[in-house]
Amino acid sequence: MSTVVKASRRDFLKIAGTSVGGLVIGFNWFSCDSPKVEVISTEEILAQAKSFNSYLSIAPSGDIVIYSPNPELGQNIKTSFPMVVAEELDADWERVRVVQANLDTEKYDRQLTGGSGAMPHSWEILRKAGATAKYVLVAAAAKAWNVPAGEITVEKGIISHKGSGKSGHFGEFVAEAATITAPEEVVLKDKKDFKIIGTPVKNVDTKEMYTGKPLYGLDFYREGMKHAMIQRAPFGMKIKSVDDAAARAVAGVTDVVTFGTSVAVVGDSTWPLMKAKKLLRVEYETDGLVESTTDHDRIFADLMANGKAEVKRSDGDVTQAFKNAAKVVVAEYQCPFLAHSPMEPENFFAHVQADKVELIGPTQTPDRARQAAAEITGIPKENITVEITRLGGGFGRRLRADYAEEAVHVSKAINAPVKVTWTREDELTGGAYRPAVRYRFEAALDPEGNMIGYKLRGVGMNEANSTRPNNFPCGAVENVLIENVVHTTPITINPWRAPVTNFLAYAEQSFLDEVALEAGKDPVQLRLELYERAKANPIGKTDYNVNRMIAVTKEVAERSNWGKDPNVKQGLSVYFSHRSYVAQVADIEMQGGTPVLKKITAVTDCGMVVNPIGANHQVRGGIVDGMGHAMYTNLTFENGVPKQRNYDSYRLIRLKEVPEIETHFLDSGFDPTGLGEPALPPTGGAIANAIFAATGRRLRSQPFIEQKEFSDIKLEIRRA
């Protein structure tokens, strides 16, 4: 059945090209009453697409330009967004050109990348954009042929009328279509009729990436621009004095600028700046608290025992449930700080002039960069432009605008265009991090091994809620208490891929296996019993769909042959985050007395899969990311400075350490939900639970390789 949705006239702009009769359909994401109307030629659309902010354009040649507004950092949005538009347009994908849109808050709503929310937010909007364009094109053809629009069909950019035998491509009708009023209602396709959505489509930037074409912020260059590199104060400190004489003496250095707690060396290229930065003599003094990792261990232990907590959820009578329990299970889990480690270090270009600012670079939040520039310069936002380059990774790090702010500060100070570039050492020592956290779980069991009480106490950082009080197993247990304690740290923290759940899932899923062991139940059985309780008699508010939890759990058990091979020890982890559901099973085989991680099987329900290639890559990438950081990665501090300064000491997963990964997707009939993050949270728990099943060693802290329980088992990883 087709779906009818409202599409106000003011949601769409129909603009006729002045010289060749091209049709431009721009989507106004804010539905403002007075959208800007820009009249431009098709040549300008194709030749200068980055400077044009309309959403969809069609040339008289039949070629289509689709603007993708959200920043692309590897989550495939630059390909999947246009696929949705092209689907409803019934376009020929081979005739589609995709262009990254610049920041334009009048035309685009939620022009950012974060929280795996882009596709869920924009799904219907994108479909309406394509469907409305198709409507006016069909209406134009119907008028030209003097036939009913209802008798016209569209396929791969060709408009046809069977009765008269007439047909033509989109470009033949753009001039007339531009004069037709868009409808207030548009009919969207039935999903069973999709021809582009659900098919494997290559990344639209693949050729450019393979051939080294400039796409990323680091690629950007403008004749006459200056370069800058920056020395930043340790966390919790401020500048007392600066001796820059030796730095200024380096050939190629043109200036040294101090602002806030930073000192920038400016010059004609990055190489002399790297040398000059090391010659800066900056004296610091404390600006409050300066912390080391040993402080965090002590602080977390104290706050877990004595900290003032905020109650995030309270169901039933927890005190009585634990008092009456036949058995109580208690465990604590802790994780370290982590850096984001994008392949492309932070960089940004800024040109501050008397009455305007130009910003260019890789950012997940372009409007935040613009707002920061306005605050620094006093120039109105409408006079500040932001051009978004492709991002060489982000994982949440580029939600911040600090590196864009640095470029603005330096450009303003030297009155010239400048590009700020971070080194890898800058990324690790001057960045913003996934915060360390500690959890204590407690479960009360009745004589039959049923969970009758559940407690979670989290110790997080800087006002962030370290818990997810509406996630499973909440809703399945009558008596629940969830508390959060906050420690304020001077270390800059930041969302890190799958915020909070990236570690909470590991801790929770590991703890549920501990409960299953004490209850004498199979881990799959325990979870399914709890799901059924949540389904039959839900307790309080929950954010997850229990039927979808059941489906991925049963499917992964079947796909992984759960419990059927006595020579394979398995670990299960199932998690809901960012509107999606992912279940994983890790397989470990004992070979010559050595546990060998052979395989991870993943089942994902993210609603309808737009692009199977992109979806598969997202799940695999999330698993590799989750595995690597759970097993190997640690960032420690000494007097406000990270001890790990580069990849020689900051351990990341290596290609040979990746086991076989098998991916499956369930189509639950829902619209697309998040996929950039949900596959990461379950991975650590699946591996840890498999390690316990194989060796009897329980891992309650990350990274695994630094735990005493892990050091003796000599886990190996081999692809099947």
Side-chain angles (χ1 to χ4, degrees):
M1 181 183 298
S2 299
T3 304
V4 178
V5 297
K6 291 283 187 178
S8 170
R9 289 187 186 91
R10 62 192 180 188
D11 282 341
F12 295 93
L13 309 178
K14 303 195 313 316
I15 306 131
T18 55
S19 62
V20 215
L23 170 65
V24 176
I25 294 185
F27 189 71
N28 182 343
W29 304 65
F30 275 158
S31 296
C32 61
D33 290 326
S34 301
K36 289 182 179 178
V37 177
E38 297 177 83
V39 181
I40 61 174
S41 69
T42 301
E43 290 86 354
E44 290 172 325
I45 293 173
L46 297 176
Q48 301 178 16
K50 284 187 178 296
S51 64
F52 178 64
N53 294 314
S54 192
Y55 192 78
L56 169 66
S57 63
I58 303 172
S61 62
D63 292 309
I64 301 161
V65 175
I66 298 176
Y67 287 84
S68 187
N70 288 46
E72 170 62 64
L73 52 78
Q75 82 282 32
N76 208 47
I77 208 72
K78 191 176 176 182
T79 302
S80 57
F81 263 28
M83 286 176 66
V84 178
V85 177
E87 179 65 69
E88 291 290 348
L89 183 62
D90 273 314
D92 179 357
W93 183 255
E94 297 300 319
R95 303 296 296 271
V96 171
R97 295 171 173 82
V98 178
V99 175
Q100 174 68 60
N102 296 331
L103 176 67
D104 191 325
T105 53
E106 291 190 13
K107 291 187 174 69
Y108 305 127
D109 183 21
R110 198 187 182 277
Q111 197 175 1
L112 60 88
T113 293
S116 294
M119 185 59 74
H121 175 272
S122 300
W123 170 248
E124 187 172 290
I125 297 171
L126 296 166
R127 295 182 70 188
K128 287 164 63 176
T132 302
K134 176 182 171 181
Y135 177 93
V136 296
L137 287 164
V138 168
K143 182 178 179 181
W145 298 335
N146 195 26
V147 300
E151 296 179 2
I152 288 178
T153 60
V154 182
E155 184 173 0
K156 297 188 73 172
I158 301 298
I159 303 173
S160 303
H161 181 252
K162 184 176 181 180
S164 65
K166 294 181 179 180
S167 66
H169 62 68
F170 284 164
E172 296 175 40
F173 305 98
V174 292
E176 180 62 32
T179 69
I180 298 173
T181 301
E184 293 191 6
E185 293 185 354
V186 287
V187 178
L188 303 181
K189 283 185 176 181
D190 191 305
K191 294 178 182 177
K192 67 179 176 57
D193 297 325
F194 285 168
K195 296 181 177 65
I196 296 175
I197 293 174
T199 63
V201 175
K202 293 181 180 179
N203 189 305
V204 295
D205 285 337
T206 294
K207 181 178 179 180
E208 286 74 11
M209 288 188 286
Y210 278 130
T211 57
K213 297 291 178 62
L215 288 172
Y216 300 92
L218 280 179
D219 295 327
F220 177 78
Y221 173 78
R222 177 173 293 172
E223 189 70 30
M225 74 177 187
K226 293 294 184 181
H227 293 267
M229 287 188 164
I230 296 174
Q231 175 67 46
R232 301 163 189 88
F235 297 105
M237 293 189 179
K238 61 183 179 180
I239 294 174
K240 183 178 181 180
S241 64
V242 177
D243 180 355
D244 59 14
R248 287 181 180 274
V250 175
V253 172
T254 59
D255 209 342
V256 177
V257 176
T258 299
F259 58 95
T261 58
S262 301
V263 182
V265 287
V266 183
D268 299 322
S269 64
T270 56
W271 181 248
L273 301 185
M274 294 175 70
K275 178 181 178 181
K277 194 173 79 162
K278 294 178 181 179
L279 297 176
L280 288 171
R281 296 293 176 259
V282 184
E283 186 179 356
Y284 299 101
E285 58 186 357
T286 59
D287 188 25
L289 185 65
V290 179
E291 293 181 345
S292 300
T293 295
T294 52
D295 298 320
H296 299 143
D297 294 338
R298 172 182 50 79
I299 290 167
F300 277 14
D302 179 62
L303 291 178
M304 184 61 74
N306 307 306
K308 183 179 179 181
E310 178 184 1
V311 175
K312 293 295 183 180
R313 184 178 183 123
S314 180
D315 296 335
D317 190 337
V318 173
T319 301
Q320 193 63 35
F322 276 82
K323 182 178 179 180
N324 297 336
K327 185 178 290 186
V328 173
V329 186
V330 181
E332 288 193 10
Y333 292 80
Q334 183 165 326
C335 70
F337 283 90
L338 291 178
H340 295 75
S341 305
M343 183 67 71
E344 176 192 26
E346 277 64 57
N347 64 91
F348 223 78
F349 170 87
H351 188 191
V352 178
Q353 300 176 63
D355 57 354
K356 62 181 180 180
V357 180
E358 181 185 14
L359 302 176
I360 301 173
T363 171
Q364 292 179 239
T365 52
D367 196 36
R368 181 174 292 178
R370 183 175 69 168
Q371 180 63 43
E375 293 174 359
I376 293 168
T377 63
I379 294 173
K381 289 198 301 181
E382 54 266 28
N383 293 341
I384 300 174
T385 61
V386 183
E387 181 179 329
I388 309 165
T389 64
R390 189 179 177 98
L391 288 67
F395 314 109
R397 176 61 183 88
R398 289 186 163 101
L399 291 170
R400 295 178 63 84
D402 53 332
Y403 55 100
E405 293 173 20
E406 292 175 341
V408 173
H409 276 294
V410 177
S411 178
K412 180 183 177 183
I414 67 173
N415 194 29
V418 67
K419 180 178 178 181
V420 167
T421 303
W422 290 37
T423 64
R424 184 61 63 192
E425 288 81 2
D426 292 333
E427 166 65 33
L428 287 174
T429 63
Y433 310 103
R434 195 249 346 234
V437 67
R438 178 176 288 190
Y439 295 112
R440 183 175 69 219
F441 295 86
E442 300 179 52
L445 306 180
D446 68 11
E448 288 73 41
N450 299 310
M451 195 188 303
I452 58 173
Y454 176 75
K455 291 195 287 188
L456 166 60
R457 184 180 177 93
V459 179
M461 289 185 164
N462 292 4
E463 304 304 322
N465 178 16
S466 63
T467 69
R468 287 290 184 266
N470 297 326
N471 275 17
F472 181 81
C474 295
V477 183
E478 295 86 347
N479 307 291
V480 171
L481 176 64
I482 296 182
E483 301 174 304
N484 183 61
V485 184
V486 172
H487 166 61
T488 301
T489 176
I491 297 172
T492 307
I493 65 171
N494 197 68
W496 188 94
R497 193 175 188 178
V500 177
T501 61
N502 55 59
F503 181 75
L504 177 59
Y506 151 77
E508 173 205 286
Q509 292 295 303
S510 295
F511 180 68
L512 285 177
D513 264 36
E514 296 200 45
V515 172
L517 180 66
E518 294 297 330
K521 298 180 179 181
D522 175 82
V524 172
Q525 174 196 0
L526 175 81
R527 287 166 175 81
L528 289 175
E529 287 179 0
L530 287 170
Y531 297 152
E532 291 298 335
R533 286 167 61 181
K535 183 176 180 179
N537 184 30
I539 308 298
K541 183 181 184 299
T542 58
D543 291 335
Y544 60 90
N545 181 312
V546 68
N547 289 324
R548 298 174 77 178
M549 294 283 278
I550 292 170
V552 293
T553 303
K554 288 183 175 180
E555 185 74 10
V556 82
E558 180 180 345
R559 294 283 187 177
S560 65
N561 296 314
W562 177 265
K564 294 180 179 179
D565 187 342
N567 296 317
V568 178
K569 305 303 179 182
Q570 296 179 300
L572 171 70
S573 183
V574 186
Y575 212 71
F576 159 77
S577 67
H578 299 87
R579 308 175 185 86
S580 293
Y581 303 77
V582 182
Q584 296 178 19
V585 169
D587 291 352
I588 289 180
E589 297 180 21
M590 299 300 295
Q591 297 183 357
T594 299
V596 179
L597 177 62
K598 299 291 290 291
K599 182 179 181 181
I600 295 176
T601 303
V603 173
T604 301
D605 176 2
C606 59
M608 171 165 281
V609 174
V610 175
N611 185 353
I613 292 178
N616 183 48
H617 290 167
Q618 286 304 302
V619 171
R620 290 175 180 273
I623 289 172
V624 172
D625 203 3
M627 175 183 172
H629 286 90
M631 292 191 64
Y632 305 114
T633 313
N634 190 7
L635 188 71
T636 59
F637 290 81
E638 186 171 349
N639 296 323
V641 178
K643 295 174 69 175
Q644 295 76 23
R645 301 182 60 84
N646 211 320
Y647 290 155
D648 58 339
S649 55
Y650 188 72
R651 174 80 155 82
L652 294 175
I653 193 170
R654 296 162 183 147
L655 184 61
K656 66 179 182 181
E657 294 165 337
V658 179
E660 177 186 357
I661 298 173
E662 182 180 305
T663 62
H664 304 275
F665 293 87
L666 289 183
D667 185 356
S668 55
F670 288 84
D671 290 343
T673 50
L675 196 53
E677 293 162 293
L680 185 150
T683 306
I687 295 171
N689 289 336
I691 288 173
F692 178 81
T695 68
R697 304 295 181 94
R698 184 73 69 185
L699 302 172
R700 296 193 179 97
S701 295
Q702 294 180 359
F704 296 165
I705 60 171
E706 296 186 12
Q707 307 314 310
K708 179 181 178 182
E709 294 81 4
F710 186 84
S711 59
D712 295 333
I713 65 175
K714 296 181 172 60
L715 178 75
E716 294 184 7
I717 302 167
R718 301 174 193 163
R719 296 183 62 84

